[in-house]
Amino acid sequence: MRGQKSTLLLAAMVQGEGTPIELIERVESRMNKTIGLAGIYVQLERLKRSGMIEDREGKDEKGQARRWYRLTADGVEYLRSIELAQGGISALNAGIYGTPGQIGACR
């Protein structure tokens, strides 16, 4: 696993699946910092290949084709390992992206 942006994207999925734009908005609203779309699709593809996330295609409420991304069990385990490694001081424990109980509920 590489990079802070990948970890932030995974953490944003604790709230549930999302499109790339939705995931970026979650990260940016919590960090009060613009991270932009540059490289997001590459990051999502890497996470997918590594088994941390999965995607599904469908249409939104307007009938436009969209792709949604969500955590897999491996992604949840990775986030748990970060949480344990940081001794409970992680952004997840601080409630930025959810509580540890929410992480366990992701599937």
Side-chain angles (χ1 to χ4, degrees):
M1 186 68 174
R2 304 173 359 176
Q4 182 181 19
K5 195 178 278 189
S6 292
T7 302
L8 291 170
L9 286 169
L10 287 173
M13 290 179 217
V14 168
Q15 296 175 330
E17 70 179 8
T19 64
I21 298 293
E22 291 168 340
L23 297 172
I24 291 301
E25 288 172 351
R26 289 176 194 170
V27 171
E28 290 178 343
S29 71
R30 300 299 192 263
M31 295 184 66
N32 291 321
K33 180 180 176 184
T34 301
I35 61 172
L37 276 174
I40 293 302
Y41 293 97
V42 172
Q43 294 293 330
L44 289 169
E45 190 57 37
R46 282 185 188 145
L47 289 168
K48 187 176 157 189
R49 280 196 314 263
S50 71
M52 301 283 183
I53 65 172
E54 59 190 13
D55 66 349
R56 71 173 178 88
E57 294 180 6
K59 295 190 184 242
D60 65 13
E61 61 279 352
K62 296 179 182 177
Q64 296 180 345
R66 294 281 182 253
R67 186 178 304 258
W68 288 268
Y69 295 87
R70 66 178 163 251
L71 286 172
T72 63
D74 287 346
V76 170
E77 282 305 310
Y78 176 76
L79 289 174
R80 281 192 189 132
S81 72
I82 290 173
E83 190 172 24
L84 290 172
Q86 292 180 352
I89 303 176
S90 71
L92 298 169
N93 263 349
I96 293 174
Y97 290 107
T99 63
Q102 285 178 301
I103 295 170
C106 294
R107 293 280 178 252

